[in-house]
Amino acid sequence: MPSTKNRITPKKRMYFHSELRQCPHCGTKLKRHHTACHKYVNTLNGIFDIWNMAYACPNLECPYTGSYFRSAEADALVMKHTSYGFDVLALVGELRFKQHYTLSELHEELNRRGVVTSKRNCERLYE
């Protein structure tokens, strides 16, 4: 896979689809509508290229025609507006609040565990 502007290369590309196959309102089979989210996610297990596909009900008679259904599994991997997985965020919280790591110690520990990040990104996670 090609390198990105922030120089991280994903280890694996993963596509996620809605867990629902039929519209919960009218029972019509859902159709893929658009890509709801595409991002590289930095986790404790490596960097992943995550694609979360949105599905919609094609039935024009359905009262919820404009509703989109995403993968709950993909949404559980990473928080909106960040590229770090929940596992990394939980680790940062534990190291900061339970182990009382300083910012420098946290940066070293994340890099040691394979979460390669800059000091500035580490500071954002720390805050």
Side-chain angles (χ1 to χ4, degrees):
M1 289 183 196
S3 180
T4 62
K5 65 182 179 183
N6 56 5
R7 290 176 257 133
I8 61 173
T9 304
K11 137 184 186 178
K12 184 178 177 184
R13 182 174 289 161
M14 300 168 71
Y15 292 94
F16 291 90
H17 308 278
S18 171
E19 290 79 11
L20 298 174
R21 298 291 178 224
Q22 282 90 23
C23 175
H25 308 288
C26 69
T28 304
K29 183 179 178 187
L30 296 174
K31 300 259 186 204
R32 182 172 179 265
H33 191 269
H34 65 276
T35 301
C37 179
H38 171 228
K39 62 170 73 176
Y40 290 170
V41 179
N42 205 338
T43 71
L44 295 176
N45 295 320
I47 299 164
F48 298 95
D49 184 5
I50 303 294
W51 292 75
N52 190 352
M53 306 302 170
Y55 286 76
C57 180
N59 180 2
L60 298 177
E61 303 296 318
C62 180
Y64 296 91
T65 301
S67 297
Y68 300 110
F69 302 93
R70 304 163 42 117
S71 169
E73 184 180 3
D75 288 341
L77 292 174
V78 62
M79 189 167 42
K80 195 173 188 178
H81 306 298
T82 185
S83 60
Y84 293 93
F86 281 117
D87 57 348
V88 173
L89 297 176
L91 175 65
V92 167
E94 180 181 337
L95 294 176
R96 180 178 181 194
F97 296 109
K98 275 185 150 179
Q99 307 296 327
H100 306 289
Y101 275 41
T102 64
L103 181 58
S104 295
E105 290 171 329
L106 179 64
H107 182 250
E108 288 174 21
E109 183 64 17
L110 287 176
N111 284 308
R112 187 186 73 71
R113 292 186 183 219
V115 181
V116 180
T117 186
S118 67
K119 283 201 175 204
R120 180 67 186 134
N121 280 338
C122 188
E123 186 179 338
R124 286 185 188 123
L125 291 170
Y126 191 80
E127 292 171 356

